[in-house]
Amino acid sequence: MTENATPSAVAVPRPPSGPRPARPTTPRVAADLRDLQARARVAARYGVRPEDADDAAPGVAAALAASLTTAVAGAPAVLDVQLGHRSVRAFLPGPLEPWVLPTVVAAAQSAPSSSNLQLWSVVAVTDRDRLARVAALVGHQEHVRHAPLLLVWVADVARARQLGAQDGVELEAAGYLETTVVAFLDAALAAQNAVLAAESLGLGTVYVGAVRNHPEDLAAELGLPPGAVAVVGLAVGHPDPGHAPRVKPRLPQAAVLHRETYDEGRVAHVADYAPRIDAFYRDERLDGSWSRRVVDRLRGGGSLKGRERLREALTALGLPSR
């Protein structure tokens, strides 16, 4: 090329087609987003506006925001999972991944246990015919019939009795109320650990208290030995996105949190809760107020749907609880 030649135009690269990549989030913006997320989560739990989150539960939003900061990338913060809990009653069809059950049970076994007695067991039910029969025993709950997995948490004194029998010792204290209470508490703590684990994996859960409606029949269905009784069921599955449940507002902390001694006057704070929970029930097409539901549920034995004879059933199932 000669000295006087006109240079060719320099090609300017075109920007790639499609949406522009998002600008990196600055630490300040990320912190603001976490704060907004935390306030929204606390507000949903108590049925208030995000700006009123600190009034409903002082400091909880800040604690949640801090936990979101330290959470491992891609993993939910424990506090976020807890505050976002909701009961899921519609699941996608098909079985769960094979690692779900052992993972959830491992979390359950990590729960505290009184004196490390571990007076609980869990029966995993996936057989469709058995699920249908259990669903009939718990009031024909369709989410039990169609759940990929039902976990029935069992107060289990039978295993301890077997250990005693091996040593030639009759465990007299196994028949006392204290032991039954410990077994129920152990099972409940294990179940709640399982809920938290399942929901941290993106699964949905719902407790099924109606396993206590017909405890003898359910014990027969599950082959429970004397000294073992179902405490609560837990349906587990991938939530159906077409039926996404909402977070149900809870009582204000002022109604449940007592400092140093119990204050019966705190029942007055239930009045602050009524408009929020009653609006929730109307949106869900449920009749009646929350306080009326409490009164009706505890009005008489018949309102317990068979559970009023639980002591009799416990005796029949080998837990006299004297």
Side-chain angles (χ1 to χ4, degrees), residues 181-237:
V181 169
V182 166
F184 268 66
L185 284 173
D186 270 13
L189 291 171
Q192 186 57 26
N193 253 31
V195 166
L196 185 58
E199 293 183 357
S200 74
L201 296 171
L203 298 167
T205 66
V206 62
Y207 277 121
V208 184
V211 298
R212 301 189 300 278
N213 286 11
H214 302 285
E216 297 99 332
D217 293 336
L218 185 62
E221 177 63 47
L222 301 181
L224 301 183
V229 62
V231 175
V232 71
L234 184 70
V236 182

Side-chain angles (χ1 to χ4, degrees), residues 8-103:
S8 60
V10 177
V12 178
R14 294 182 177 181
S17 59
R20 294 182 179 180
R23 291 183 178 180
T25 302
T26 66
R28 180 65 262 171
V29 171
D32 289 343
L33 290 174
R34 287 192 295 268
D35 182 66
L36 290 173
Q37 178 182 345
R39 288 183 177 280
R41 180 69 83 195
V42 175
R45 172 51 65 206
Y46 290 99
V48 300
R49 299 175 303 174
E51 56 266 34
D52 295 329
D54 281 335
D55 292 332
V60 175
L64 175 54
S67 70
L68 294 173
T69 302
T70 58
V72 177
V78 173
L79 187 56
D80 191 42
V81 175
Q82 290 174 314
L83 292 175
H85 167 74
R86 62 203 72 192
S87 294
V88 174
R89 293 180 173 85
F91 304 104
L92 294 177
L96 297 176
E97 296 81 357
W99 47 264
V100 167
L101 178 58
T103 301

Side-chain angles (χ1 to χ4, degrees), residues 22-285:
R23 291 183 178 180
T25 302
T26 66
R28 180 65 262 171
V29 171
D32 289 343
L33 290 174
R34 287 192 295 268
D35 182 66
L36 290 173
Q37 178 182 345
R39 288 183 177 280
R41 180 69 83 195
V42 175
R45 172 51 65 206
Y46 290 99
V48 300
R49 299 175 303 174
E51 56 266 34
D52 295 329
D54 281 335
D55 292 332
V60 175
L64 175 54
S67 70
L68 294 173
T69 302
T70 58
V72 177
V78 173
L79 187 56
D80 191 42
V81 175
Q82 290 174 314
L83 292 175
H85 167 74
R86 62 203 72 192
S87 294
V88 174
R89 293 180 173 85
F91 304 104
L92 294 177
L96 297 176
E97 296 81 357
W99 47 264
V100 167
L101 178 58
T103 301
V104 167
V105 172
Q109 290 187 282
S110 300
S113 171
S114 179
S115 300
N116 199 32
L117 295 176
Q118 302 179 66
L119 297 178
W120 66 271
S121 290
V122 61
V123 180
V125 182
T126 58
D127 179 78
R128 305 317 308 178
D129 291 336
R130 176 163 284 114
L131 283 168
R133 293 193 294 271
V134 173
L137 290 174
V138 299
H140 299 280
Q141 297 186 42
E142 289 302 300
H143 51 274
V144 171
R145 185 186 308 276
H146 298 296
L149 171 65
L150 177 69
L151 298 173
V152 181
W153 302 91
V154 177
D156 186 359
V157 180
R159 183 170 54 242
R161 284 178 173 157
Q162 285 181 306
L163 296 176
Q166 291 175 11
D167 288 347
V169 178
E170 182 179 353
L171 303 186
E172 180 184 353
Y176 283 87
L177 177 61
E178 163 65 10
T179 304
T180 300
V181 169
V182 166
F184 268 66
L185 284 173
D186 270 13
L189 291 171
Q192 186 57 26
N193 253 31
V195 166
L196 185 58
E199 293 183 357
S200 74
L201 296 171
L203 298 167
T205 66
V206 62
Y207 277 121
V208 184
V211 298
R212 301 189 300 278
N213 286 11
H214 302 285
E216 297 99 332
D217 293 336
L218 185 62
E221 177 63 47
L222 301 181
L224 301 183
V229 62
V231 175
V232 71
L234 184 70
V236 182
H238 289 288
D240 183 343
H243 298 82
R246 298 160 56 201
V247 173
K248 186 181 296 180
R250 295 295 200 239
L251 283 165
Q253 288 199 359
V256 302
L257 175 59
H258 306 259
R259 297 189 182 275
E260 307 302 341
T261 59
Y262 192 98
D263 178 6
E264 292 187 64
R266 290 195 171 273
V267 71
H269 293 285
V270 172
D272 300 330
Y273 178 61
R276 297 193 287 271
I277 189 61
D278 293 350
F280 178 92
Y281 283 149
R282 286 194 299 273
D283 290 344
E284 297 293 317
R285 299 181 180 179

Side-chain angles (χ1 to χ4, degrees), residues 289-309:
S289 67
W290 176 81
S291 59
R292 176 53 54 191
R293 285 169 172 268
V294 172
V295 171
D296 288 346
R297 180 59 180 270
L298 302 177
R299 184 184 298 276
S303 61
L304 295 178
K305 302 179 180 180
R307 291 174 236 180
E308 67 277 3
R309 51 176 301 277

